[in-house]
Amino acid sequence: MLYDFSKMSVDLPLSARARSLRAWYRRPLGHQLAEVELSALAAQLPNLFGYHLVVVDPPWDDCRLDDSRITHRVIQRVDNDAQPGVELTGDTENWPLMTDAIDAIVLPHTLELARDPHQVLREADRCLVPDGHLVIMGFNPLSLWGIRRLLARKRGELPWDTRFQSMGRIRDWLGLLGFDTLHSHFIFQRPPVQHARLLGRLQFMEPADGIGIMPLSGAYILVARKRTF
């Protein structure tokens, strides 16, 4: 079944909204953002160690994990729609995973789609082993993208209809759960326009080291470690 991502509503099932967000990532702006996000994730993957890696409902059609040193990598989605590499199907807020069993978890925009982002983080805390790593990617509300969201969210368009969470807020939530933030930075410096040629011309705005400044950055990546008491 196809979904019109220009007419999504928060009242629709999570699976429909997840498919809608993946559809947006196939458009010019989403495609360019995906390349930058996957590059940022690839830079962090070699620093994650252990036996089991889980990515919860990635919005990209191609979730590349080849740079990971962890051999057992699982992609979990809220529905099984014949996406390649999907091994688990489960609710975003109630994972079919054992407690203290996962070494690294990646949440790419998972918190923004969730009905209760706190519950998602609690599930990550439950499933991670002590000293396990959590990687979170989100849209930056304190930027041009945040302004674009304010202008468009009433029309129910994704991703503008999702709940943008600031990097500082995520850090605070993780601190309350007993996580230490190891690294975080902003990514994707180009404005939120759906014009492939213009986005290509503005590629010079991307810094060589991949670390952007807050007012211009559309997204961020954050790496945290579950604290051992």
Side-chain angles (χ1 to χ4, degrees), residues 70 110 130 155:
I70 301 175
T110 313
R155 296 200 295 270

Side-chain angles (χ1 to χ4, degrees), residues 24 50 72 85 114 169:
W24 179 84
H72 185 216
R169 178 175 294 178

Side-chain angles (χ1 to χ4, degrees), residues 2-218:
L2 297 178
Y3 291 86
D4 184 356
F5 52 80
S6 66
K7 299 178 181 180
M8 287 288 107
S9 166
V10 292
D11 297 325
L12 287 177
L14 180 60
S15 58
R17 288 167 56 78
R19 285 194 288 270
S20 172
L21 185 59
R22 291 202 296 274
W24 179 84
Y25 265 89
R26 299 182 191 114
R27 301 186 69 193
L29 180 58
H31 179 75
Q32 295 289 341
L33 175 60
E35 290 301 313
V36 174
E37 288 181 332
L38 286 166
S39 295
L41 177 60
Q44 300 301 324
L45 287 176
N47 302 320
L48 310 181
F49 303 94
Y51 299 99
H52 308 290
L53 167 68
V54 175
V55 185
V56 180
D57 210 32
W60 322 294
D61 287 332
D62 181 18
C63 184
R64 301 190 292 268
L65 303 172
D66 295 337
D67 292 288
S68 174
R69 299 183 182 185
I70 301 175
T71 55
H72 185 216
R73 312 159 193 158
V74 175
I75 295 176
Q76 175 187 315
R77 291 200 186 277
V78 294
D79 61 350
N80 188 357
D81 54 358
Q83 288 289 316
V86 177
E87 298 183 27
L88 275 180
T89 302
D91 190 282
T92 307
E93 298 166 22
N94 186 19
W95 301 351
L97 299 171
M98 295 177 62
T99 299
D100 295 335
I102 309 301
D103 299 281
I105 294 173
V106 181
L107 302 178
H109 302 289
T110 313
L111 298 179
E112 286 133 338
L113 284 180
R115 294 177 294 271
D116 184 356
H118 297 86
Q119 177 58 25
V120 177
L121 292 179
R122 285 191 289 268
E123 279 292 270
D125 179 42
R126 178 185 68 82
C127 295
L128 278 173
V129 300
D131 290 326
H133 287 84
L134 179 63
V135 181
I136 296 175
M137 276 175 279
F139 294 111
N140 176 22
L142 306 176
S143 67
L144 294 175
W145 286 60
I147 297 174
R148 173 72 170 82
R149 173 182 177 268
L150 292 175
L151 296 175
R153 63 180 178 177
K154 291 183 179 180
R155 296 200 295 270
E157 300 176 2
L158 264 73
W160 317 115
D161 193 32
T162 62
R163 301 171 182 174
F164 287 18
Q165 308 289 351
S166 71
M167 186 191 294
R169 178 175 294 178
I170 298 298
R171 283 204 203 98
D172 291 342
W173 289 351
L174 291 174
L176 292 174
L177 284 172
F179 282 81
D180 294 319
T181 299
L182 304 180
H183 177 74
S184 61
H185 68 268
F186 294 98
I187 56 176
F188 198 80
Q189 298 285 275
R190 281 165 278 180
V193 295
Q194 287 288 3
H195 194 289
R197 184 173 296 179
L198 178 58
L199 288 168
R201 290 177 177 175
L202 293 176
Q203 191 169 3
F204 72 91
M205 298 177 65
E206 301 293 342
D209 59 2
I211 299 177
I213 59 174
M214 184 174 64
L216 296 179
S217 300

